[in-house]
Amino acid sequence: MKNTVSNEEMAALSNELSLLLHAGVGNGDALALLAEESGGEEKEMFLNMAEQVDNGAPLSAAFRKAGRFSAYVCGLLEVGEQTGRTEETLNALAQYHENQARLTRQIRNALLYPAIMLVLMLTVIAVLLVRVLPIFDDVYASLGSRLTGAAGALLSLGRVLESIMPLLWGLLIIVALFGAAFALIEPFRARILASWRKVAGDRGLSRKLNTARLAQAMAMAMASGLSSEEAVSLASGLMTDTPAAQNRCNNCLNRLENGESLSAALKNSDLLPAAQCRLLELGQRSGAGDASMEKIARDLTEEGENALEELVGKVEPALVLVCSLLVGLILLSVMLPLMHIMAAIG
């Protein structure tokens, strides 16, 4: 059985449970209905959860005992049950995981297309250096000349590449296997991403995405009736794989415990941008802190997605430009001398 459910699965599960609860179906019966629609390990899990709920266990306890749901999901469900807002909590969880699933797809697509384009461009340049330039060199030799200058240097580079081609093919196979394992093997992908997050998971664009994720989690927690400290603490649970982001959360918690207001603590701990903190402060003064945090989460999510699209928009033209310049340099370096030779012969 997988360790945790995916964002898509969690969003679908939360939506289905919310609809069943809204229709007046009890927790145990709702889980039993989900079991009927599932198969294999999923069915067994839902049946076990339904049995626990029927025996008097809270829904959050059944989720926690299943071992496939994050501490954040279980904790938020527990708070929702305590405040009588289980249905609203499930709706919030569905929205949150839908947003995370969409963002994950955007990141995957943003990385995939430039990577494919880069491989194709490098292949074209390698073919020009290894296969095309030697043909031009033979043409020059038949005319009593040789490739010199930039063309000669590129020809030498092509010969070096040809001599180490077996090594390059081996490296290409390793990279391809790594890419396939990263795409298909979830534990391997999770381990690689976790290592990367520990080193540079809270910088640049990643920092913006982390901040949006924290704001979404806090908005959902505050809407479920949690205090500021509890909302930040639960949001911190999402960042266990990103130490730098979790440190920001812990700093914010310490400031809250020392008596700072939520907006001031968020600002001074660099957990949220100053503009959003001012908006939250105004919202709290008017009694609409929950709505303000929800708007902040939407704005930060949109800002992160726009930053991601902007980055991709810069990468693609840069790759095309660099490849075009290299191909043009290779062709001009051999065509211009050939034109001079042909002019002299003519």
Side-chain angles (χ1 to χ4, degrees):
M1 183 177 291
K2 295 183 293 185
N3 292 328
T4 57
V5 298
S6 65
N7 286 317
E8 291 86 350
E9 293 170 337
M10 190 63 220
L13 173 59
S14 300
N15 267 323
E16 291 172 353
L17 279 177
S18 174
L19 290 173
L20 290 171
L21 294 183
H22 183 72
V25 181
N27 292 338
D29 292 335
L31 291 169
L33 287 173
L34 291 178
E36 292 179 2
E37 299 175 358
S38 306
E41 295 179 344
E42 299 285 342
K43 182 174 184 177
E44 182 181 352
M45 180 187 71
F46 286 131
L47 287 175
N48 290 334
M49 293 172 66
E51 183 179 357
Q52 295 172 43
V53 172
D54 289 337
N55 290 332
L59 182 62
S60 57
F63 268 70
R64 187 174 284 109
K65 193 171 181 179
R68 292 189 56 190
F69 304 96
S70 67
Y72 180 79
V73 170
C74 299
L76 202 62
L77 269 178
E78 184 177 1
V79 173
E81 289 177 319
Q82 293 173 356
T83 57
R85 305 181 64 176
T86 304
E87 184 181 334
E88 291 84 349
T89 301
L90 288 169
N91 281 326
L93 283 170
Q95 183 63 43
Y96 171 77
H97 285 91
E98 285 173 0
N99 291 336
Q100 292 303 307
R102 184 181 68 254
L103 186 59
T104 300
R105 288 193 298 270
Q106 289 178 333
I107 294 174
R108 186 185 299 118
N109 294 335
L111 294 175
L112 180 62
Y113 182 67
I116 293 175
M117 182 180 293
L118 178 62
V119 171
L120 293 176
M121 290 178 175
L122 291 177
T123 301
V124 170
I125 293 173
V127 169
L128 286 174
L129 293 176
V130 176
R131 298 300 179 188
V132 176
L133 280 183
I135 296 176
F136 278 97
D137 187 52
D138 293 340
V139 172
Y140 274 77
S142 66
L143 296 175
S145 181
R146 283 291 181 185
L147 289 176
T148 58
L154 291 172
L155 178 63
S156 300
L157 177 60
R159 288 171 175 167
V160 172
L161 290 176
E162 187 175 14
S163 66
I164 62 172
M165 191 59 67
L167 176 60
L168 293 178
W169 277 113
L171 291 175
L172 181 61
I173 292 173
I174 292 174
V175 171
L177 291 175
F178 178 87
F182 185 85
L184 301 176
I185 304 176
E186 184 177 349
F188 178 75
R189 179 170 64 250
R191 190 176 296 112
I192 296 297
L193 291 176
S195 300
W196 179 81
R197 291 189 186 104
K198 289 180 180 179
V199 177
D202 199 41
R203 302 176 185 173
L205 177 59
S206 296
R207 187 183 182 93
K208 289 185 177 182
L209 297 176
N210 288 339
T211 300
R213 187 180 177 193
L214 287 168
Q216 289 175 358
M218 288 185 61
M220 185 167 55
M222 291 173 66
S224 299
L226 270 67
S227 65
S228 301
E229 292 83 356
E230 291 172 324
V232 175
S233 179
L234 275 178
S236 175
L238 295 175
M239 295 293 150
T240 54
D241 56 351
T242 311
Q246 193 169 42
N247 289 337
R248 288 193 285 153
C249 293
N250 294 334
N251 186 8
C252 182
L253 279 173
N254 292 333
R255 292 178 180 277
L256 289 172
E257 292 173 357
N258 291 331
E260 289 189 19
S261 65
L262 177 60
S263 57
L266 292 172
K267 177 182 177 182
N268 294 331
S269 62
D270 205 19
L271 201 59
L272 290 182
Q276 276 70 28
C277 292
R278 287 195 297 270
L279 177 60
L280 177 60
E281 183 177 2
L282 293 174
Q284 288 181 312
R285 288 180 181 178
S286 61
D290 297 353
S292 297
M293 181 57 74
E294 186 177 350
K295 183 181 186 310
I296 290 170
R298 287 198 305 269
D299 292 344
L300 290 176
T301 300
E302 183 178 354
E303 180 180 341
E305 292 175 354
N306 290 338
L308 179 62
E309 293 176 0
E310 182 179 354
L311 178 61
V312 176
K314 292 179 179 179
V315 170
E316 294 176 11
L319 288 175
V320 173
L321 178 62
V322 171
C323 181
S324 301
L325 290 175
L326 289 176
V327 172
L329 175 64
I330 294 171
L331 294 179
L332 286 175
S333 64
V334 296
M335 293 302 296
L336 289 178
L338 183 61
M339 292 173 62
H340 290 306
I341 295 175
M342 297 302 294
I345 294 176

